[in-house]
Amino acid sequence: MTADDLGLTRGDGVFDATRTLTTAGGSTTVDDLEDHLARFARSIAGIDGPAPDLDAWRNLIDAATTAWTQPGEGMLKLMYTNGHEVTAGPPTGLLTLSRLPDHLITARDGIGVALLSRGYPSDAFADAPWLLGGVKTLSYAVNVAAAREAGRRGVDDIVFTSSDGYLLEGPTSGIVMADGDTLVTTPTGPTGILASVTVDHAMTGAAVDGVSTLTRLIRPEELSGCNGFWILNSGSGVAPILTVDSRPVPQNPAMTRQLRHWTGFAA
Amino acid sequence: MTADDLGLTRGDGVFDATRTLTTAGGSTTVDDLEDHLARFARSIAGIDGPAPDLDAWRNLIDAATTAWTQPGEGMLKLMYTNGHEVTAGPPTGLLTLSRLPDHLITARDGIGVALLSRGYPSDAFADAPWLLGGVKTLSYAVNVAAAREAGRRGVDDIVFTSSDGYLLEGPTSGIVMADGDTLVTTPTGPTGILASVTVDHAMTGAAVDGVSTLTRLIRPEELSGCNGFWILNSGSGVAPILTVDSRPVPQNPAMTRQLRHWTGFAA
């Protein structure tokens, strides 16, 4: 790649990522590949890129997973950029496959989170497509800075809040709260929240199994009386939140098991 | 650079840019190099990077400007990233030097702009360093998307507005308005606005020459009665704004000349 690639110089690109599982014999499967390819294509459209050749991507992913033989969990990442800033050239596509980071595995045992403002009101992205709400861009500097702030505060992860006082999502995850027997997640669209493949699977699985589900904004004040609170993403799967800003959150191990079942992360 | 460089995969890096001038004989000078190096160092600190070796950067810039002999205006860009995401390795530093893009040159003749919401209230960045206000990160996807939106609207550039209704800055520029005989620019800090080297030179030069200056928030409603409105950056220098959302803005060619004098862009 060139030094003037727009993915580097402007973060003018998008990505998607999902977990891989490799057997002791070296055979690799990719979680929810078609869901992630579909979201990847939507993200590319969100930055005005061309419709991707998904068969070419599938072939590239096949080549990578065939070459990858390290047993256990991995992270497959697809990246697209809008090409070059100065020199001529087509869009750039690339892929990485690596071991799943340890902190995503340990998160499954439960995490402490801090709430940090994301700066925006909860309707900032309505009628403002240039703000790239719901587009998984390479411009993740704030998400990375939030993760560093978590480290400074001695917690494992962050849940972002809107300037009007709602819980939004994590820097790399969606959120789900149990309100009594109802599973609640936060809305995409005007909030700018990314559509989480893992949250979608949880909510769909819950609905199929007769569990009540709801999409709405959540206030931090609700957490002390909730029936469980989790962050979900395609690496960790389901991470129970133990504390929010050092205050304990009610736990619901039975629902944690169900969420893992619906999302394909059962032990 | 590697496919897992954090500057690419997360936009977890910063940059700075300034104009170069090359004589017919191939000798190149760099505008305001020390100001830009100082801001570059502040940006690196803003993403928790180490203090840069500025002498090493000066040597690299010397090598680049010595090799560059194309007469006319160029754009020097310095980039720093926080290293690699998966593999081991130190932070990445790189530099590009290329011709000044034509649209930055034609902007000096005057531009039409559209106002677009940046989504944030004007105090969103107060006490929220993880939002990276004033840090010139590589995560510029929204700035690029705003530029594409300008193209769709048939205008040359954008001025961002806050969700509480103030003018902020352009995607790659600062703004200056003449309110009667007073030059007004918008405040950094809680607004998240980047400290513009070019605006700083304009305001300092104005003050030295006895012109009244003020830093405050500006409402779009003021523009119809202003005494001139400009965007300033280190590539274009001073671009008079002719229209805002298709409405004409009062012009002030005498002040345009003075601004060019103060910022080193006199013809």
Side-chain angles (χ1 to χ4, degrees):
Chain A
M1 94 181 301
T2 62
D4 73 329
D5 193 285
L6 285 162
L8 172 68
T9 63
R10 301 280 170 182
D12 184 20
V14 298
F15 73 103
D16 221 290
T18 190
R19 184 181 66 151
T20 61
L21 274 173
T22 304
T23 64
S27 171
T28 298
T29 55
V30 178
D31 283 358
D32 306 319
L33 177 59
E34 291 305 314
D35 291 324
H36 287 278
L37 282 175
R39 187 172 66 177
F40 189 47
R42 289 198 304 274
S43 288
I44 294 170
I47 59 165
D48 297 326
D53 179 347
L54 292 183
D55 276 337
W57 280 101
R58 290 186 191 100
N59 289 339
L60 182 65
I61 292 162
D62 273 348
T65 52
T66 301
W68 178 261
T69 57
Q70 192 167 330
E73 294 178 278
M75 174 66 75
L76 175 71
K77 193 161 173 175
L78 314 177
M79 288 174 268
Y80 162 90
T81 89
N82 266 331
H84 300 182
E85 183 161 352
V86 178
T87 58
T92 304
L94 67 161
L95 165 163
T96 59
L97 178 48
S98 51
R99 283 187 53 198
L100 195 67
D102 287 340
H103 74 272
L104 292 181
I105 294 172
T106 57
R108 296 167 186 164
D109 297 331
I111 57 174
V113 305
L115 304 184
L116 290 185
S117 170
R118 189 60 189 81
Y120 295 106
S122 59
D123 62 352
F125 296 83
D127 304 318
W130 54 87
L131 297 181
L132 304 177
V135 179
K136 201 168 171 68
T137 75
L138 294 172
S139 289
Y140 253 42
V142 169
N143 304 48
V144 179
R148 286 194 298 262
E149 180 69 17
R152 273 192 283 272
R153 296 184 181 207
V155 296
D156 304 293
D157 210 336
I158 292 299
V159 172
F160 283 127
T161 58
S162 65
S163 63
D164 49 343
Y166 293 102
L167 303 176
L168 295 172
E169 63 185 340
T172 59
S173 55
I175 60 174
V176 171
M177 182 189 78
D179 179 10
D181 294 330
T182 300
L183 278 185
V184 181
T185 192
T186 48
T188 60
T191 60
I193 292 173
L194 180 75
S196 163
V197 169
T198 316
V199 169
D200 283 353
H201 284 210
M203 300 302 269
T204 303
V208 167
D209 283 351
V211 174
S212 158
T213 64
L214 191 62
T215 298
R216 66 165 172 84
L217 289 166
I218 303 172
R219 289 216 176 260
E221 299 78 43
E222 297 182 56
L223 294 176
S224 59
C226 78
N227 190 19
F229 185 36
W230 300 266
I231 68 165
L232 275 65
N233 66 49
S234 57
S236 294
V238 179
I241 296 175
L242 306 175
T243 61
V244 174
D245 289 339
S246 304
R247 285 185 294 276
V249 172
Q251 297 302 299
N252 188 342
M255 183 57 79
T256 301
R257 281 190 297 275
Q258 282 198 277
L259 288 167
R260 287 189 174 141
H261 168 68
W262 294 320
T263 57
F265 280 85
Chain B
M1 94 182 299
T2 61
D4 72 331
D5 193 285
L6 285 161
L8 171 69
T9 62
R10 300 280 171 182
D12 185 19
V14 298
F15 74 103
D16 221 288
T18 189
R19 184 182 68 150
T20 61
L21 274 172
T22 304
T23 64
S27 171
T28 298
T29 54
V30 178
D31 283 359
D32 306 320
L33 177 59
E34 292 305 315
D35 291 324
H36 286 278
L37 283 174
R39 188 173 66 178
F40 188 47
R42 289 198 304 275
S43 289
I44 293 171
I47 58 164
D48 296 326
D53 179 347
L54 292 183
D55 276 337
W57 280 101
R58 290 185 192 100
N59 289 340
L60 182 66
I61 293 162
D62 273 348
T65 52
T66 301
W68 178 262
T69 58
Q70 191 166 331
E73 294 178 279
M75 175 65 76
L76 175 69
K77 193 161 175 176
L78 314 177
M79 288 173 269
Y80 161 89
T81 88
N82 266 331
H84 300 179
E85 184 162 350
V86 178
T87 58
T92 304
L94 67 160
L95 166 162
T96 59
L97 178 48
S98 52
R99 283 186 54 197
L100 195 68
D102 287 340
H103 75 272
L104 294 181
I105 294 172
T106 55
R108 295 168 186 163
D109 296 332
I111 58 176
V113 304
L115 304 185
L116 290 186
S117 170
R118 188 61 189 78
Y120 295 107
S122 60
D123 63 352
F125 296 82
D127 305 319
W130 55 87
L131 296 181
L132 304 177
V135 179
K136 201 167 170 68
T137 74
L138 294 171
S139 288
Y140 255 42
V142 169
N143 303 47
V144 179
R148 285 193 298 261
E149 180 69 18
R152 271 191 286 270
R153 295 182 183 209
V155 296
D156 304 293
D157 210 337
I158 292 298
V159 173
F160 283 127
T161 58
S162 64
S163 61
D164 49 343
Y166 292 102
L167 304 175
L168 295 171
E169 62 185 341
T172 60
S173 56
I175 60 173
V176 171
M177 181 190 81
D179 178 10
D181 293 331
T182 299
L183 279 186
V184 180
T185 191
T186 47
T188 59
T191 60
I193 291 172
L194 181 74
S196 162
V197 169
T198 316
V199 169
D200 283 353
H201 283 212
M203 299 303 268
T204 303
V208 167
D209 283 352
V211 174
S212 159
T213 64
L214 191 62
T215 299
R216 66 166 172 84
L217 289 166
I218 302 171
R219 289 214 176 263
E221 298 79 43
E222 297 182 55
L223 294 175
S224 60
C226 78
N227 190 20
F229 185 36
W230 301 266
I231 67 163
L232 275 65
N233 66 48
S234 57
S236 295
V238 178
I241 296 174
L242 306 176
T243 60
V244 173
D245 288 340
S246 304
R247 284 186 295 276
V249 172
Q251 297 301 299
N252 188 341
M255 182 57 78
T256 301
R257 282 191 295 276
Q258 284 198 274
L259 288 166
R260 288 188 174 142
H261 169 68
W262 295 321
T263 57
F265 281 84

